[in-house]
Amino acid sequence: MTLETEIEDGLASYNFAYLDEQTKRMIRRAILKGIAIPGYQVPFASREMPMPYGWGTGGVQVTASIIGPDDTLKVIDQGADDTTNAVSIRAFFAKVADVETTTRTGEATIIQTRHRIPEEKLTEGQILVYQVPIPEPLRFLEPRETETRKMHALAEYGLMHVKLYEDIARNGHIATTYAYPVKVEGRYVMDPSPTPKFDNPKMHMSDALQLFGAGREKRIYAVPPHTNVVSLDFEDYPFEIQTFEEPCALCGAHGVYLDEVILDDRGGRMFVCSDTDFCEERRAEGHRGHLSGEAMEAAE
Amino acid sequence: MSDEPLLRVSGVSKFYGSRIGCQDVSFELWPGEVLAIVGESGSGKTTLLNCISTRLMPTAGTVSYRMRDGQFRDLYRMGEAERRFLMRTDWGFVHQNPADGLRMSVSAGANVGERLMAVGERHYGNIRETAADWLGRVEITEDRIDDQPRSFSGGMRQRLQIARNLVTGPRLVFMDEPTGGLDVSVQARLLDLLRGLVNDLGLAVVVVTHDLAVARLLSHRMMVMKDGKVVETGLTDRVLDDPRAPYTQLLVSSILQV
Ligand SMILES: [Zn+2]
């Protein structure tokens, strides 16, 4: 649609991707600053969005500011494309930006996510937008914002290890499994949002651009492509990702993040890929897990 | 003792508008020396302590510190990062209220270990071992290492705060009424412990107290303050046994029980 036809159609007040151009420029400036200072939390004037906080308003504002008519959007929630949250955000952008949407990781140019990084390796040119509830990794032990900002400014991160020390003292190992803190490019300590620590290694040297938006907390931060992202740990308690004993019950994949699914009330359960698109694509290629037959029958 | 002081305080004043916090205070502190600053409440002793420990910017005067490389540095011309690093490595600060100097919601072991982690120690086993050792030195049994200070008595909390400060081997420790909130019997035990640690480690200490008994037991030298000014200074035994300023005489003769 040309500008002329837009005006002719009486759509002069229409804002592409919901936000007005001035707001989008403000958010883009915050994003650019975040990219220039990897891992640094950039304050921004978060706007009201037509959805409640906790529904990813930070991620939505970031996506709205970077999306263009030629983009293809994928939205996932805990790895799944079909949850209420993911479906409604996808529908929102299909409506306000008239963009293509997809569930396939490889086809997407922008992937907005809550709590997972896709299993399929992201590539150059793709952008992963994280919805972040609490951006401040030091908040757990230091509630004063003035103090945490100073700690970031001066790179005083001893407190982060106090948290990990407490984990080991209490549990015998580092029990933090979500929102596991990372150090970005050797400088800023960052909360990767509540993704499982399983996904932390995918952030390291990623070919894709990673953007983080926290709506309620009014913060944007970024990890540019090919950036060093290291999970914090101790020499004698090194960082480890979760491992799963069995492969996915549906597609047989090893080395992926699995969700537990309860099958019946007699204790029957199976472990399946949390990344639904990854699982479906593998099955389409003919991969089978040990329960794929039964699960298919049960579903029919 | 070294042939150069550790801390040089020169002409330090702090005004709050027209009100005097402390005025024109100068002294030098030598390695291993314990200086008591005594006075009633409102005498300016706490203001002075805060000014020399970089917790409060003085209105006038300079405070310089001999760094580990032997060079004197003006504390108020240092960058904030360097100053904060100094405060958590080469200095300690023991607050009257242990809750001000401890993290009440993390374990005793992590309270002691925090400074080690802050300077880059990344071996859990070593941190824990050092923390256990320091808990022992302040008479806290090792089986309390994973307990939070919330569950500790006042005396134990204060001993934990001391261990937390000393773990990095500081050369200078500031103390603000370190026995202030404690029962008399607990005070005596803590003072014994403090005196032992200060001697063993050769610490330089600036201790602010209203309690002349604390000054007598801990300090080599004392400074008496009134209305923001130093009215008498000298070796502790001399000042207490033979006070010269009329105000000190009043203080010592217990007419003023502060
Ligand atoms: Zn699968």
Side-chain angles (χ1 to χ4, degrees):
Chain A
M1 192 189 291
T2 65
L3 183 63
E4 285 80 357
T5 54
E6 263 190 31
I7 293 166
E8 278 163 25
D9 290 348
L11 293 170
S13 60
Y14 169 78
N15 292 315
F16 178 80
Y18 187 78
L19 294 174
D20 63 83
E21 291 306 313
Q22 197 185 341
T23 298
K24 282 189 281 195
R25 273 199 297 274
M26 176 272 290
I27 293 173
R28 285 180 204 134
R29 276 197 296 271
I31 291 170
L32 287 172
K33 187 168 178 184
I35 292 169
I37 317 169
Y40 171 73
Q41 297 170 48
V42 183
F44 81 109
S46 183
R47 294 296 147 92
E48 293 291 324
M49 296 301 286
M51 57 196 73
Y53 287 125
W55 278 67
T57 56
V60 168
Q61 289 177 82
V62 169
T63 298
S65 304
I66 59 171
I67 203 163
D70 298 332
D71 275 309
T72 304
L73 178 69
K74 172 183 164 78
V75 182
I76 52 172
D77 179 5
Q78 313 259 17
D81 298 88
D82 57 1
T83 70
T84 315
N85 190 319
V87 169
S88 58
I89 291 173
R90 211 160 49 229
F92 174 74
F93 281 109
K95 187 176 169 198
V96 300
D98 194 26
V99 292
E100 296 273 339
T101 63
T102 183
T103 59
R104 314 197 83 170
T105 298
E107 288 175 1
T109 55
I110 298 173
I111 303 169
Q112 181 169 329
T113 178
R114 175 173 172 269
H115 298 190
R116 274 312 308 278
I117 299 174
E119 302 292 356
E120 187 179 328
K121 192 173 181 297
L122 300 180
T123 55
E124 199 179 312
Q126 287 187 305
I127 302 176
L128 186 60
V129 178
Y130 297 74
Q131 301 170 198
V132 181
I134 298 170
E136 180 48 71
L138 297 162
R139 180 75 48 86
F140 173 76
L141 286 169
E142 179 52 74
R144 290 169 297 173
E145 170 90 17
T146 49
E147 189 63 18
T148 54
R149 289 186 75 79
K150 190 165 279 179
M151 288 170 163
H152 284 295
L154 303 175
E156 287 181 2
Y157 290 126
L159 204 53
M160 234 36 263
H161 275 87
V162 169
K163 184 173 184 288
L164 299 180
Y165 172 100
E166 289 288 86
D167 248 17
I168 301 171
R170 230 174 276 149
N171 307 292
H173 62 278
I174 298 178
T176 302
T177 52
Y178 290 88
Y180 192 105
V182 295
K183 192 171 228 180
V184 180
E185 205 65 12
R187 177 57 180 84
Y188 284 96
V189 167
M190 184 187 96
D191 187 328
S193 87
T195 47
K197 67 177 179 179
F198 180 89
D199 287 338
N200 277 21
K202 296 178 189 159
M203 308 180 75
H204 176 63
M205 290 295 167
S206 172
D207 291 331
L209 168 63
Q210 302 173 75
L211 302 176
F212 300 77
R216 190 180 45 224
E217 303 268 339
K218 303 179 171 57
R219 292 289 185 278
I220 284 171
Y221 49 105
V223 175
H226 315 297
T227 297
N228 209 286
V229 178
V230 178
S231 302
L232 302 183
D233 62 2
F234 286 103
E235 288 158 14
D236 46 343
Y237 286 85
F239 172 78
E240 284 172 348
I241 60 169
Q242 293 101 328
T243 54
F244 299 88
E245 285 170 14
E246 300 167 42
C248 170
L250 296 180
C251 75
H254 289 270
V256 295
Y257 193 76
L258 302 178
D259 283 337
E260 185 179 351
V261 177
I262 305 296
L263 292 173
D264 54 46
D265 55 11
R266 298 184 307 277
R269 54 184 197 152
M270 62 175 180
F271 288 91
V272 299
C273 292
S274 114
D275 183 336
T276 52
D277 167 65
F278 181 79
C279 200
E280 277 162 26
E281 289 199 36
R282 275 181 56 86
R283 279 179 280 152
E285 288 163 8
H287 295 282
R288 289 288 178 268
H290 70 284
L291 284 176
S292 52
E294 293 168 45
M296 290 300 164
E297 282 159 32
E300 276 159 17
Chain B
M1 285 195 188
S2 153
D3 55 1
E4 271 195 297
L6 199 56
L7 189 74
R8 278 186 182 140
V9 176
S10 174
V12 164
S13 299
K14 177 71 189 177
F15 301 106
Y16 301 95
S18 59
R19 201 166 63 77
I20 295 169
C22 61
Q23 192 170 16
D24 198 21
V25 179
S26 301
F27 68 88
E28 288 179 338
L29 184 74
W30 295 74
E33 186 184 29
V34 180
L35 173 72
I37 305 176
V38 302
E40 299 168 272
S41 70
S43 63
K45 60 187 191 300
T46 300
T47 300
L48 177 62
L49 181 75
N50 287 336
C51 282
I52 60 180
S53 60
T54 75
R55 300 164 63 83
L56 185 67
M57 181 83 141
T59 313
T62 58
V63 182
S64 54
Y65 180 70
R66 185 156 55 83
M67 307 292 280
R68 284 181 189 255
D69 66 3
Q71 299 299 308
F72 274 95
R73 298 285 303 279
D74 184 337
L75 294 173
Y76 287 97
R77 290 184 173 211
M78 241 180 222
E80 188 174 23
E82 194 182 4
R83 195 163 64 220
R84 281 169 67 112
F85 184 77
L86 178 73
M87 286 174 81
R88 61 171 192 263
T89 53
D90 213 18
W91 287 10
F93 196 106
V94 177
H95 297 262
Q96 173 173 5
N97 179 1
D100 294 339
L102 293 172
R103 292 194 190 277
M104 298 302 280
S105 59
V106 310
S107 68
N111 262 289
V112 178
E114 182 175 346
R115 278 179 162 225
L116 297 174
M117 294 182 248
V119 296
E121 174 60 69
R122 290 292 176 263
H123 191 284
Y124 174 83
N126 292 349
I127 293 165
R128 196 169 172 82
E129 199 178 308
T130 308
D133 177 48
W134 269 103
L135 291 178
R137 292 171 82 163
V138 297
E139 299 165 12
I140 296 173
T141 53
E142 197 174 335
D143 61 353
R144 305 301 303 269
I145 192 168
D146 293 328
D147 295 344
Q148 294 183 0
R150 293 181 198 291
S151 67
F152 288 6
S153 68
M156 273 176 86
R157 288 181 185 182
Q158 199 55 299
R159 282 180 276 133
L160 178 62
Q161 192 192 180
I162 290 161
R164 175 177 158 90
N165 272 283
L166 297 186
V167 68
T168 50
R171 295 186 297 162
L172 171 60
V173 178
F174 300 98
M175 300 183 188
D176 185 12
E177 306 275 9
T179 59
L182 304 172
D183 295 339
V184 176
S185 62
V186 180
Q187 275 188 21
R189 189 175 159 205
L190 185 71
L191 278 172
D192 270 351
L193 178 78
L194 267 179
R195 191 159 61 158
L197 287 171
V198 166
N199 283 337
D200 291 350
L201 303 168
L203 293 176
V205 176
V206 177
V207 56
V208 156
T209 181
H210 69 277
D211 187 341
L212 296 181
V214 170
R216 166 89 79 182
L217 263 166
L218 275 185
S219 71
H220 306 117
R221 211 151 51 96
M222 61 186 278
M223 228 162 71
V224 182
M225 291 189 70
K226 183 179 190 301
D227 300 330
K229 290 172 197 144
V230 176
V231 295
E232 181 158 6
T233 178
L235 294 176
T236 300
D237 289 342
R238 201 281 297 155
V239 173
L240 291 177
D241 296 338
D242 177 24
R244 288 170 194 171
Y247 176 74
T248 315
Q249 289 167 3
L250 278 176
L251 209 60
V252 171
S253 67
S254 304
I255 291 169
L256 284 174
Q257 259 314 342
V258 285

